Amino acid sequence: MRTILLFCCLLFLPLGGFAQGTTAVERPVSEQQWKKAAADLDYSKDVPKQEKPKKKQAPLADGPNPLRNFNTALWGNVLQILVLLLAVLAIGYGIYRMLQEPRNRRIARDGAEITEENLEAYLHETDLDRFLREALARGDYPQAVRVYFLQVIKHLSESGAILWSKEKTNRDYLREMRAHPQFTAFQRATGTFERVWYGNVPLDAEGFERVEPEFKALL
């Protein structure tokens, strides 16, 4: 009952202050009645909690800030220039490497590099005249005799006198040439080549001048 009485007192008090167009009615409450009504009330739980003070952030130190002076447009242009320079250097290096490659470098249809070591395998894909000139320029006369003989084989294959195959031997070609008018000349050129190339017979410039005409005549 005391609680109800106190509640009614508190409820009707603000109505007088907010009512418009009405006359406030005062209901006097004695101190004894108030103490009697509020004797059993506990206000300890109604104390508001104190908020913890927020930490103040330290002010930014005064002085030059490099980020303030950062110009993104300027650095973007610098990066573009650097990328362009790297691209130019890469292209220049590629051209340099191409120029450094041997001039006699040739690539076959299967992607292999044609060299003096594999001429027989790519007989119809290379310029044998060039290999002959290079061998003579450095004084490699056995290699020159070998290239001459390969030229003979290539011409005989292109004319249909023999059926060329990298698996065939010189004996196979001699059998195919047996009925050919140039059989004797081919047999002589084959013997010269085998003596010089497989027999390791020494051959100098003078000796090469003696055997070269028989290859030229056959060609």
Side-chain angles (χ1 to χ4, degrees):
M1 291 300 293
R2 294 176 182 176
T3 303
I4 294 174
L5 178 61
L6 180 61
F7 178 77
C8 291
C9 293
L10 295 175
L11 181 62
F12 286 103
L13 282 177
L15 293 178
F18 289 98
Q20 296 181 1
T22 59
T23 304
V25 179
E26 294 184 0
R27 295 173 180 265
V29 179
S30 63
E31 183 178 355
Q32 184 178 2
Q33 288 178 337
W34 175 257
K35 290 182 178 181
K36 185 177 181 182
D40 297 333
L41 296 180
D42 185 6
Y43 296 100
S44 61
K45 296 181 180 180
D46 295 336
V47 178
K49 296 181 179 179
Q50 295 182 356
E51 295 182 359
K52 295 182 179 179
K54 295 182 179 180
K55 294 182 179 180
K56 294 183 179 179
Q57 296 182 353
L60 296 176
D62 295 334
N65 188 348
L67 294 179
R68 296 176 183 174
N69 300 326
F70 184 80
N71 192 327
T72 55
L74 175 62
W75 284 106
N77 293 333
V78 172
L79 290 177
Q80 289 181 356
I81 294 174
L82 290 177
V83 171
L84 182 61
L85 288 176
L86 289 176
V88 171
L89 290 176
I91 294 174
Y93 180 74
I95 295 175
Y96 170 78
R97 290 298 302 270
M98 290 176 62
L99 294 177
Q100 294 300 314
E101 294 289 345
R103 294 185 179 181
N104 63 346
R105 187 173 185 266
R106 292 294 183 274
I107 303 300
R109 285 177 294 179
D110 59 1
E113 180 181 357
I114 300 176
T115 62
E116 289 183 345
E117 287 72 21
N118 60 4
L119 286 178
E120 292 88 346
Y122 302 99
L123 192 64
H124 295 85
E125 299 183 47
T126 186
D127 181 11
L128 293 174
D129 289 334
R130 177 171 45 82
F131 283 98
L132 178 59
R133 291 192 301 268
E134 292 175 357
L136 294 175
R138 65 175 181 269
D140 190 351
Y141 299 109
Q143 181 68 32
V145 169
R146 171 177 174 249
V147 176
Y148 260 128
F149 183 73
L150 291 177
Q151 284 183 324
V152 171
I153 295 296
K154 181 178 180 179
H155 282 291
L156 291 174
S157 173
E158 291 175 347
S159 65
I162 61 173
L163 295 176
W164 175 84
S165 174
K166 62 182 180 180
E167 284 81 18
K168 286 185 176 181
T169 64
N170 294 337
R171 304 277 83 77
D172 295 328
Y173 295 133
L174 285 170
R175 282 193 293 270
E176 295 179 26
M177 285 287 293
R178 191 169 298 277
H180 196 277
Q182 295 295 327
F183 171 73
T184 302
F186 177 69
Q187 186 180 35
R188 185 167 55 252
T190 302
T192 301
F193 162 68
E194 290 183 346
R195 286 194 304 271
V196 172
W197 189 251
Y198 296 115
N200 295 322
V201 175
L203 187 67
D204 55 11
E206 184 178 354
F208 178 75
E209 290 179 358
R210 289 196 300 268
V211 300
E212 184 182 22
E214 67 183 65
F215 289 100
K216 286 186 175 182
L218 183 57
L219 289 171

